[in-house]
């Protein structure tokens, strides 16, 4: 009678290498290298390899293994990095904000800031200390509130798309979650130093918002649809003849400096204007002062230490904006 023999069990086909398997292999290789070090240290001269050469070879092998393990670890976490820069300067979260207004709504002084998220001079104002000093000295103490307004000068200057408007829309979408000032910080941290439009494509704006921790189920549809585009464009058109450069600062409806002539307000000028303002809120809101007529600006991109100036303004413009700063 023939004995029944069990069929040979098929061996599973080896699957693709995974970071965990690769790390295990590298670890085993490391142990083997350690053994090699021990062997190299006791190698006799009869083999023709001196102890010094043996140790050198062993350490080189170990270094290769360590570097390989580091690369494996990096590969296992790749995909989490999106090339987005985390802001080094953040608006304090212990200060009240509502929409695009930072500070107490009944603060006696209103500082209106007209800016462009694509504007390098605006980024310098935000990141290099002027805005931070204004916030810590006056907004945090309740003496003033800071109100943001979009002025799309870079779109007008560069004529290379709508990146200024698209970034403004992304910030407004964040404002719908009461996260405007958070998005404000992340946008400036990720703008192009040459004010290039590629920094604020829809995909890049989405990545910035995700990195900032915004609710993407709400923000992404707003971003894709350009929900606030018409509102932003209309507001920009209403002030284009008066607000000719960015950043532009008004203190209680009086312009400080004149970025249209290359004289953006310094922090000391802003401070002096706030200190000279009444301690109590005025009973009536005066109309914004008419700025000095602006000469024809240069066609080159404004450097980071100079305000951005819109080229669409006629030197004879002398009318006040149809929309008053808040």
């Amino acid at each position: 009678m023939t004995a029944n023999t069990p069929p040979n069990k098929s061996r599973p086909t080896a699957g693709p290498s995974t970071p965990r398997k690769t790390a295990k292999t590298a670890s085993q290789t490391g142990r083997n290298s350690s053994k090699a070090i021990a062997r190299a240290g006791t190698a006799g001269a009869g083999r023709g390899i001196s102890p010094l050469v043996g140790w050198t070879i062993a350490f080189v092998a170990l270094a290769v293994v360590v570097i390989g393990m580091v690369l494996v670890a990096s590969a296992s976490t790749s995909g989490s990095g999106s090339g987005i820069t985390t802001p080094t300067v953040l608006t304090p979260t212990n200060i009240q904000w509502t929409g695009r207004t930072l500070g107490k709504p009944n603060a006696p002084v209103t500082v209106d800031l007209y800016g462009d998220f694509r504007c390098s001079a605006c980024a310098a104002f935000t990141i290099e200390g002027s805005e931070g000093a204004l916030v810590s000295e006056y907004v945090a103490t309740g003496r003033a509130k800071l109100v943001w307004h979009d002025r799309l000068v870079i779109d007008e200057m560069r004529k290379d798309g709508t990146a200024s408007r698209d970034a403004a829309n992304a910030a407004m979408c964040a404002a719908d979650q009461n996260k405007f000032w958070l998005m404000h910080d992340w946008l400036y941290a990720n703008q192009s130093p040459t004010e290039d439009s590629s920094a604020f494509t829809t995909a890049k704006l989405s990545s910035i918002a995700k990195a900032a921790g915004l609710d993407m189920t709400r923000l992404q549809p707003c971003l894709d649809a350009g929900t606030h585009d018409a509102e932003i464009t209309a507001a920009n058109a209403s002030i284009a003849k008066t607000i000719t450069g960015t950043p532009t600062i008004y203190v209680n409806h009086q312009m400080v400096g004149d970025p249209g002539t290359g004289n953006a307000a310094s922090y000391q000028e802003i401070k002096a204007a706030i200190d000279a303002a009444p301690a109590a809120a005025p009973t009536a809101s005066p109309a914004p002062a008419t700025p000095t007529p602006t000469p024809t600006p240069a066609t080159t991109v404004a450097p980071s230490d100079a305000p951005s100036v819109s080229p669409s303004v006629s030197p004879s413009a002398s009318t006040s904006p149809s929309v008053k700063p808040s």
Side-chain angles (χ1 to χ4, degrees):
M1 184 171 64
T2 304
N4 292 326
T5 58
N8 293 330
K9 295 182 178 179
S10 61
R11 295 183 179 180
T13 302
S17 175
T18 64
R20 181 177 296 178
K21 290 180 181 179
T22 307
K24 182 178 180 181
T25 302
S27 178
Q28 180 63 45
T29 305
R31 288 195 293 272
N32 293 338
S33 296
S34 297
K35 294 177 181 179
I37 291 174
R39 289 196 299 270
T42 58
R47 295 183 180 180
I49 300 177
S50 68
L52 178 60
V53 173
W55 278 105
T56 301
I57 294 172
F59 275 118
V60 169
L62 182 59
V64 170
V65 172
V66 170
I67 292 171
M69 294 179 70
V70 170
L71 292 176
V72 168
S74 299
S76 66
T77 57
S78 64
S80 59
S82 57
I84 302 302
T85 301
T86 300
T88 57
V89 177
L90 287 168
T91 303
T93 56
N94 61 344
I95 298 177
Q96 177 183 354
W97 70 45
T98 303
R100 297 186 291 176
T101 298
L102 179 66
K104 296 180 179 179
N106 61 347
V109 176
T110 298
V111 179
D112 290 289
L113 169 58
Y114 291 81
D116 184 333
F117 288 115
R118 219 175 140 188
C119 158
S120 56
C122 300
F125 179 83
T126 298
I127 297 171
E128 295 178 6
S130 293
E131 185 175 302
L134 170 63
V135 170
S136 62
E137 188 169 354
Y138 292 103
V139 178
T141 59
R143 177 83 168 97
K145 62 179 178 287
L146 179 62
V147 184
W148 171 271
H149 306 267
D150 293 301
R151 178 66 182 94
L152 312 179
V153 295
I154 306 300
D155 281 356
E156 296 169 4
M157 291 172 62
R158 298 286 290 264
K159 301 185 185 303
D160 60 351
T162 58
S164 294
R165 187 205 64 192
D166 296 340
N169 176 65
M172 288 284 281
C173 293
D176 294 339
Q177 303 177 32
N178 202 27
K179 297 291 181 66
F180 171 83
W181 291 98
L182 176 64
M183 192 63 171
H184 158 280
D185 300 336
W186 280 81
L187 287 170
Y188 276 132
N190 287 279
Q191 73 163 204
S192 165
T194 60
E195 302 177 340
D196 192 81
S197 61
S198 62
F200 291 146
T201 63
T202 300
K204 194 71 176 287
L205 290 169
S206 179
S207 295
I208 293 170
K210 288 177 184 176
L214 294 171
D215 180 356
M216 297 306 295
T217 62
R218 296 173 58 191
L219 189 136
Q220 192 65 54
C222 180
L223 188 63
D224 293 339
T227 299
H228 299 287
D229 286 354
E231 174 188 354
I232 293 165
T233 300
N236 178 73
S238 71
I239 58 174
K241 290 185 178 180
T242 299
I243 309 298
T244 60
T246 53
T248 289
I249 300 291
Y250 279 82
V251 173
N252 275 0
H253 309 292
Q254 298 297 316
M255 183 182 283
V256 180
D258 186 0
T261 58
N263 181 29
S266 68
Y267 176 65
Q268 291 305 316
E269 290 175 314
I270 298 169
K271 175 180 171 64
I274 295 174
D275 290 342
T283 55
S285 296
T290 301
T292 304
T294 305
T296 302
T299 57
T300 56
V301 178
S304 60
D305 59 350
S308 297
V309 181
S310 170
S312 62
V313 181
S314 169
S316 63
S318 61
T319 58
S320 299
S322 58
V323 176
K324 300 178 183 177
S326 302

